[in-house]
Amino acid sequence: MATNADPTPASGPGQADPLAVLGALPGVPEAVDSVRRAVDGVYGHRVMRRRSNEVTSEAALRGARGSAALAGADWPLEEVRRRGDYSADEQAVTVGAALRLTAEAGQLLGVWRQSPVQALARLHLVAAGDTVAEATVGRPRLAGEPLDEPLIGIAEIPLPEPAEVTARLDGLAELLRGGTRAPALVAAAVVHGELLCLRPFGSFNGPVARAAERIVLVGSGLDPKSICPAEVGHAELGRAGYLKALEGYASGTPEGMAEWIGHCGRALELGVRESVAVCEALQRGAA
């Protein structure tokens, strides 16, 4: 994580907690509180007492649809629900990858806690399926290898060299394994933003980054049942806003970092709103 808001490379005895420092940036505590109230609200819904598994399944489907939309495959929800073949064309491949990632994310909490880099490799393997050359799957890109990332390719964000990618991934993994006092929103936003900026793999970096955000939110205990699909909110806020906020993260300035964290918070609240609507539909018998 390279940021002017955070000069400390790692946390440890006698050192500052870098992610906690970000949690104190102007506007971030308010975003954290707003997210917590929203999440508490949906978890307190009466439907969650009896039908939480249905809400989780629907949140996964809608989250995958949102992630695919940001990657260029903006399908209607019912089309995602109806389809069985996700190999017909590039958009279908993108939707299929997002669905597989959402399903896999919930299975990787143990691996993530021990080795985030290994978990990321698994996520890329799941996303790529048989659509990417086997030699490049599940490992960071090498110098000179092409990058297939349509969304991030149009952002004004320099592409780090492989050596920098490896160093920053290792630094991020060390921070996460060491634990942080930072709120879940902050940790999830940093993981998401760092992976988008690094683009460590030759493909599917956006969907992998959003799946990693989901893992952090679930593993932190903020959203243990995975019913708050932030991907829905990111899609609703739009690709232009997503990229603008990401450029703030990439700048490393306190203002830019706070902008990105706030954007992720708004996305998560919109995801919560989506699940509240699902709960209401289930309560009425309409879903």
Side-chain angles (χ1 to χ4, degrees), residues 18-30:
L19 299 185
V21 171
L22 297 179
L25 291 175
V28 173
E30 292 81 0

Side-chain angles (χ1 to χ4, degrees), residues 124-125 128 132-142 145-146 200-203:
H124 186 248
L125 178 67
V132 176
E134 186 176 349
T136 67
V137 172
R139 63 153 175 82
R141 55 185 168 80
L142 303 177
E145 288 185 340
F201 304 108
S203 58

Side-chain angles (χ1 to χ4, degrees), residues 84-99:
D85 177 13
Y86 294 101
S87 61
D89 53 49
E90 185 175 346
Q91 287 203 357
V93 166
T94 299
V95 174
L99 287 166

Side-chain angles (χ1 to χ4, degrees), residues 15-154:
Q15 293 181 314
D17 180 342
L19 299 185
V21 171
L22 297 179
L25 291 175
V28 173
E30 292 81 0
V32 168
D33 288 344
S34 183
V35 162
R36 168 54 73 184
R37 288 194 299 271
V39 172
D40 286 349
V42 69
Y43 270 87
H45 197 286
R46 62 190 304 174
V47 166
M48 287 296 296
R49 292 197 294 269
R50 296 174 288 106
R51 305 180 70 176
S52 64
N53 288 342
E54 294 173 70
V55 180
T56 295
S57 296
E58 190 64 21
L61 184 71
R62 295 180 185 220
R65 194 218 73 82
S67 186
L70 285 170
D74 192 1
W75 287 11
L77 179 63
E78 290 311 312
E79 179 70 6
V80 178
R81 199 189 304 278
R82 180 186 67 82
R83 278 286 189 105
D85 177 13
Y86 294 101
S87 61
D89 53 49
E90 185 175 346
Q91 287 203 357
V93 166
T94 299
V95 174
L99 287 166
R100 292 192 300 273
L101 282 169
T102 303
E104 185 71 15
Q107 311 300 315
L108 287 177
L109 288 176
V111 178
W112 181 267
R113 292 187 179 109
Q114 295 299 317
S115 175
V117 173
Q118 183 181 344
L120 290 171
R122 173 62 186 171
L123 288 173
H124 186 248
L125 178 67
V126 167
D130 59 2
T131 66
V132 176
E134 186 176 349
T136 67
V137 172
R139 63 153 175 82
R141 55 185 168 80
L142 303 177
E145 288 185 340
L147 177 68
D148 179 16
E149 199 67 52
L151 173 64
I152 305 306
I154 64 173

Side-chain angles (χ1 to χ4, degrees), residues 172-274:
L172 180 63
E174 183 179 349
L175 282 176
L176 295 170
R177 284 196 306 267
T180 177
R181 299 184 305 278
L185 170 63
V186 173
V190 166
V191 167
H192 186 172
E194 190 74 354
L195 292 174
L196 286 176
C197 289
L198 291 179
R199 288 147 285 176
F201 304 108
S203 58
F204 295 105
N205 288 294
V208 166
R210 291 183 286 276
E213 179 186 47
R214 176 181 285 266
I215 290 173
V216 175
L217 292 171
V218 172
S220 67
L222 177 65
D223 181 22
K225 294 183 181 293
S226 196
I227 63 167
C228 305
E231 306 95 328
V232 168
H234 285 301
E236 186 171 335
L237 291 170
R239 291 171 60 152
Y242 188 64
L243 287 170
K244 181 178 181 297
L246 179 61
E247 287 168 8
Y249 177 90
S251 75
T253 65
E255 296 80 8
M257 298 293 287
E259 179 185 5
W260 171 249
I261 295 168
H263 188 88
C264 290
R266 290 190 293 277
L268 185 54
E269 289 187 64
L270 288 170
V272 169
R273 187 179 70 179
E274 188 86 354

